[in-house]
Amino acid sequence: MRSDARTTPLLLRMSTWGVMAFLHIPLALIVLYAFSAEEKSYVFPPPGLTTRWFAVAMEREDVWAAIRMSFEVAAWSTAIAIVLGSLAAGALARSRFFGRDAISLLLILPIALPGVVTGIALRSAYHTLEIPFSFWTIVIGHATFCVVVVFNNAVARLRRLNPNLIEASMDLGADGWQTLRHVILPQLGSALLAGALLAFALSFDEVIVTTFTAGQQTTLPIWMLQELIRPRQRPVTNVVAVFIIALTFVPIVAAYLLTRSDEAGAR
C-alpha cells in the first residue's frame, strides 16, 4: 500500500510534465526556427542561427497590413461582443421565462460548433442575402463566437451578484441608470474585461471562419497560411508566429488572473 501511495503521485507528476511537453515543445520549435539561418526548409537542428529574419519581417508591408487587419477585426468583434454579450447576460441571469434555457443554448452553440460549420453557414447566409464579402463580413463572423465568451463571463458573475444590493440601491432612491453605474458595473467590470481579453485573443488568430468570410481581405492567420505554401523566407512566418504567441499570451494570462482573483474573492 505504501509503495502504491508513493507511485501514484510520481505517475501524476510524470503525466503532467508529459502533457506540458506535448503542448509546448511545438511552440518552442516555432521560436527556434524563427532564428534559423535556413531559408527554404525546416532542418533540425538548424544549420545556424541568425536574427536577420526579424528585420526582414519588420520591413515587409504585407506583414503590417495583415496585422492591422487582424487587430481592427478583433477590436470591432470584441466591442460588438461586449455589448451583445452583456445585454444577453443581463436578460437571462435574473429573469425566468419560457424558453430561457433554449435561448442560452443557442447563444453558446456558435463556439461549440466546429469552425467549418459556422463558416459554411455564414457564407451561405451572405450568399443568400447577396451581401458582398468585406471587412464587416469577417467582423460579423468573429462576433458570433466572441459573444459567447463575453456572455459566459457576464452571466456567471450576474448570477453570483447579491440581489439585495440592487434592492438596497433602489430603496435608497437610485434610479435604474444609477444602480447600473454604481452597483452592477463595478461588480461586472472584471468579468467583462476578462471576457473581452479572451474574445480579442480568439478573434485575432482565428483562421477557419475567416477563410469562409474574408473574400479578398487578408488577416494575419490567412497571410501565414499563404506564406507557408511558398518555399522562401519561411523563417519570416515563424517570426510573425512568435509575435502572435506573445500578443495572445498577454490577454489570456490577464483574463486567467482576473477570473482567478474573482473566484478567490467570491470564496
Side-chain angles (χ1 to χ4, degrees), residues 25-39 41-50 53-54 233-239 242:
I25 285 178
L27 299 180
L29 290 176
I30 289 176
V31 176
L32 176 63
Y33 283 118
F35 295 92
S36 175
E38 177 62 36
E39 182 174 346
S41 63
Y42 295 117
V43 179
F44 186 85
L49 299 178
T50 180
W53 300 115
F54 288 83
Q233 294 190 349
R234 284 184 175 176
V236 174
T237 308
N238 290 281
V239 170
V242 170

Side-chain angles (χ1 to χ4, degrees), residues 82-120:
I82 291 174
V83 175
L84 297 181
S86 58
L87 290 175
L92 296 175
R94 294 293 179 180
S95 301
R96 292 189 176 275
F97 54 89
F98 177 77
R100 188 183 73 159
D101 294 338
I103 294 175
S104 298
L105 177 62
L106 290 175
L107 283 170
I108 299 173
L109 193 60
I111 204 169
L113 289 173
V116 173
V117 175
T118 302
I120 292 175

